[in-house]
Amino acid sequence: MKTIISMFAMLTFSNLNAQINFTQLDHNNVSAHISDVGTYFRDYVNSNKGYEVPKGSGRSAIYSTQFWFAGKDPSNEIRLIQGGSTTNADVFSGPISGLGTYSDPSYQSAWGNSMWEMCQSEIDIYTTWWEACNGPNSNAQDCANATTPSTETLNRIYSWPAHGDVSLGQSYYLAPFFDYNSDGTYDPGDGDYPIIRGCCAVYMIQNDAAQSHTYSNTDSLGVELHFMFYQYQTWDYLNDVTFVDLKAVNRSNTNYSDFVSSIYVDADIGYYGDDYYGCDSVSNTMYFYNGDNLDENNAGYLGYGTNPPALGIVGLGSGMTACAPFYSGASINEKWNIMNGLQPNGTPWLNPNSNPTNYVFSGNPNVPIEWSAMGEGFPPNDVRGLASFYHGSLNSGDTLTQTFAITFAQNGNNLDNVNNILNTSNEIKLFYDNQSNQPCNGATWGLGDNDLIHFSVYPNPTNGIINIVNESNIELNIQIYDSYGRSIKNTISTNNSTIEINLSNEPKGFYTIKVVSGKEVQFFKVILD
């Protein structure tokens, strides 16, 4: 089993940045290797895959991931940010700065490591201690009873990259923070603290302008990139999910047309040579699954064995506009075409009915009549995919944002897990739309010794009628969502009562029950057959 590294480390390479900064985000059932080289979930230090799930198993589901950004400048030339490796790069540490400042020792000292780790439990300890000892209602007794933050926690909070150096051409506001006294300046001594999502997060600031693009070999866009990788620790599907928030800010003086962003995934599920790719435009999901029900050990890679899992990439926020397989060796124009929903040569993809489509293999492999790589009889292989999001223009000063959820399912055979991924996608959309800013109190979302909500559902599966038994001594708000995330029923359950829900007129499939009381939320899945 590979060693799990939980602290930042640095290793010297002969690449543009001279060193790679990396960390391991392993707060839930996933251990995700994150570095600032421009390719994520790839462990360059050990030349190994870096997305281990289940954590501690030695098995990984991703070989590498990149975030691509492309647009056309006023001369109609394509400019592309593709990522980086240990030898070539389009992205570099730190924020956009003034000309001539990137090589300055002060810039290198401030931004040579552009990654910051933070857990909500650390923030909670700090804010409780600060209120007790320094806040407007502080007193000696409360201060004596408060837990004093560790030196490491204080260092993390005080070093949070909230601001850039305006005198060097950097933006004043960078990483998000809570401004206790609303003075516009980050100062933890005044009660300010970082704002993160999830229970633990890694924040990263990069740019594409510090040096020439040697990965894509295009001109720079002058874009500043902010990433937040984060995880929740729960008892449900979220325990197998890694989220990524990204923000791209055009800090150049150039306006770009037809701007598009993409997530590239080389998803080696255990052994890399027996996988398939698919996409579902309804749920904004690109997914990968094993070609049969045995993922064997092969070529030095540890397979998942029988009932191998599936992996999903869910686009949250803006809708996915293209989804296609990707093969190495493409030119800039070919990459641009794929990002914009075309074949590499610029002609449309055609589905089995000869209709143009932006979504390749958009059918469920569990349904023989639908369009899938398995159904077409293609042999499983080493597959990669590119899910893209068209944004229109990105003018000087504009900002685009996007969130991704990387999901994992291993609750049945190889095809069952495709359905599990698609069902999870809809649950994640509900969570993101309604609860993704849920505080992670005690470093754990959805857990607790004093949960208020207690309910049961029967029968499940059902042929139409379900009974929801409120076993709590509180009023519950109950909402029913279909597999597309649409709310179809909403009702209130009073103390210790049973509510009957009739789904007889609804299509067969999966439905999600969302139960809410105050800030506490629970989800339950039911099957209508």
Side-chain angles (χ1 to χ4, degrees):
M1 186 192 311
K2 66 181 180 182
T3 302
I4 303 300
I5 303 170
S6 59
M7 299 294 292
F8 279 115
M10 295 183 292
L11 191 69
T12 300
F13 284 90
S14 59
N15 72 334
L16 294 174
N17 292 320
Q19 67 185 26
I20 292 178
N21 302 292
F22 64 90
T23 189
Q24 209 76 17
L25 182 63
D26 54 3
H27 188 67
N28 58 15
N29 196 38
V30 178
S31 182
H33 187 93
I34 302 168
S35 74
D36 59 2
V37 74
T39 296
Y40 308 98
F41 314 136
R42 176 67 183 165
D43 182 357
Y44 283 103
V45 176
N46 297 304
S47 299
N48 203 354
K49 296 191 291 184
Y51 198 80
E52 186 186 39
V53 55
K55 181 174 63 179
S57 68
R59 295 171 172 86
S60 184
I62 296 178
Y63 182 85
S64 65
T65 296
Q66 295 174 340
F67 298 95
W68 296 9
F69 306 87
K72 288 189 174 181
D73 63 20
S75 299
N76 209 37
E77 293 295 321
I78 299 168
R79 302 193 189 186
L80 171 65
I81 301 172
Q82 191 175 337
S85 69
T86 55
T87 54
N88 296 293
D90 294 343
V91 293
F92 314 95
S93 296
I96 291 284
S97 194
L99 291 176
T101 61
Y102 296 110
S103 59
D104 189 279
S106 63
Y107 184 91
Q108 295 297 320
S109 175
W111 303 105
N113 184 356
S114 59
M115 303 172 68
W116 293 264
E117 289 183 288
M118 185 64 62
C119 287
Q120 187 62 45
S121 57
E122 297 176 290
I123 297 172
D124 292 343
I125 289 172
Y126 180 80
T127 55
T128 301
W129 169 81
W130 187 89
E131 287 284 2
C133 300
N134 301 287
N137 299 315
S138 61
N139 60 75
Q141 182 176 351
D142 288 345
C143 185
N145 292 331
T147 300
T148 302
S150 67
T151 300
E152 182 181 13
T153 293
L154 291 173
N155 286 338
R156 290 180 191 267
I157 289 176
Y158 272 85
S159 65
W160 187 248
H163 300 302
D165 189 336
V166 177
S167 68
L168 298 179
Q170 299 164 18
S171 173
Y172 184 63
Y173 291 106
L174 295 175
F177 66 93
F178 178 78
D179 190 358
Y180 189 91
N181 59 6
S182 302
D183 65 352
T185 299
Y186 180 70
D187 183 359
D190 288 340
D192 301 345
Y193 56 86
I195 292 177
I196 68 168
R197 304 184 81 171
C199 297
C200 283
V202 175
Y203 198 83
M204 184 183 307
I205 301 176
Q206 296 186 303
N207 73 88
D208 86 311
Q211 300 182 47
S212 297
H213 287 199
T214 57
Y215 202 106
S216 65
N217 292 309
T218 67
D219 290 338
S220 69
L221 288 127
V223 167
E224 185 174 285
L225 301 172
H226 293 234
F227 298 94
M228 185 179 291
F229 298 82
Y230 55 99
Q231 296 171 338
Y232 293 90
Q233 187 184 61
T234 68
W235 292 121
D236 61 8
Y237 67 93
L238 285 174
N239 206 47
D240 292 325
V241 176
T242 299
F243 290 89
V244 187
D245 286 358
L246 66 83
K247 178 171 71 171
V249 186
N250 183 1
R251 299 210 189 277
S252 75
N253 294 320
T254 303
N255 297 331
Y256 298 106
S257 62
D258 297 321
F259 202 87
V260 60
S261 65
S262 303
I263 181 170
Y264 161 88
V265 178
D266 183 349
D268 296 351
I269 301 176
Y271 170 55
Y272 66 87
D274 59 353
D275 296 338
Y276 279 128
Y277 147 95
C279 67
D280 180 66
S281 61
V282 175
S283 62
N284 283 345
T285 303
M286 176 172 66
Y287 59 89
F288 303 85
Y289 58 104
N290 213 69
D292 56 28
N293 203 39
L294 176 63
D295 183 40
E296 52 272 287
N297 300 334
N298 202 332
Y301 290 92
L302 188 60
Y304 279 93
T306 57
N307 296 325
L311 181 88
I313 314 296
V314 188
L316 302 167
S318 60
M320 182 171 65
T321 55
C323 183
F326 182 84
Y327 301 96
S328 299
S331 67
I332 294 299
N333 284 327
E334 289 172 336
K335 292 170 185 174
W336 173 260
N337 287 334
I338 298 172
M339 293 175 74
N340 284 279
L342 300 171
Q343 295 190 59
N345 63 9
T347 61
W349 298 99
L350 299 178
N351 65 20
N353 296 322
S354 297
N355 294 321
T357 179
N358 288 1
Y359 308 97
V360 181
F361 300 136
S362 55
N364 190 322
N366 286 280
V367 183
I369 63 171
E370 294 190 4
W371 186 34
S372 69
M374 175 179 283
E376 291 291 319
F378 292 111
N381 209 328
D382 180 12
V383 294
R384 295 134 193 175
L386 200 68
S388 301
F389 302 79
Y390 181 80
H391 303 281
S393 62
L394 189 75
N395 296 328
S396 178
D398 285 354
T399 298
L400 71 84
T401 59
Q402 183 68 45
T403 296
F404 297 98
I406 302 170
T407 65
F408 177 89
Q410 193 175 16
N411 301 317
N413 65 35
N414 60 318
L415 295 183
D416 292 335
N417 289 323
V418 171
N419 284 336
N420 293 331
I421 284 291
L422 297 178
N423 292 326
T424 297
S425 296
N426 293 310
E427 293 187 44
I428 286 178
K429 287 170 62 179
L430 289 175
F431 171 74
Y432 177 80
D433 291 339
N434 297 290
Q435 294 295 324
S436 60
N437 61 347
Q438 175 74 27
C440 197
N441 297 323
T444 304
W445 186 92
L447 298 178
D449 296 328
N450 299 308
D451 287 338
L452 297 175
I453 296 177
H454 298 281
F455 69 98
S456 59
V457 179
Y458 70 92
N460 186 21
T462 177
N463 59 8
I465 302 297
I466 57 172
N467 297 285
I468 303 174
V469 182
N470 180 356
E471 300 168 351
S472 308
N473 291 317
I474 54 175
E475 184 177 277
L476 301 178
N477 182 282
I478 299 172
Q479 297 167 322
I480 312 293
Y481 296 86
D482 65 14
S483 60
Y484 298 106
R486 298 173 297 203
S487 177
I488 59 172
K489 294 184 183 293
N490 192 333
T491 188
I492 299 293
S493 173
T494 56
N495 304 357
N496 296 307
S497 64
T498 298
I499 299 293
E500 183 180 276
I501 303 291
N502 190 345
L503 300 177
S504 300
N505 295 324
E506 303 293 335
K508 294 181 180 180
F510 289 88
Y511 291 81
T512 300
I513 301 173
K514 178 181 176 183
V515 182
V516 181
S517 176
K519 292 185 177 181
E520 187 174 350
V521 181
Q522 291 189 23
F523 293 92
F524 188 88
K525 187 186 302 178
V526 66
I527 300 173
L528 175 63
D529 63 9

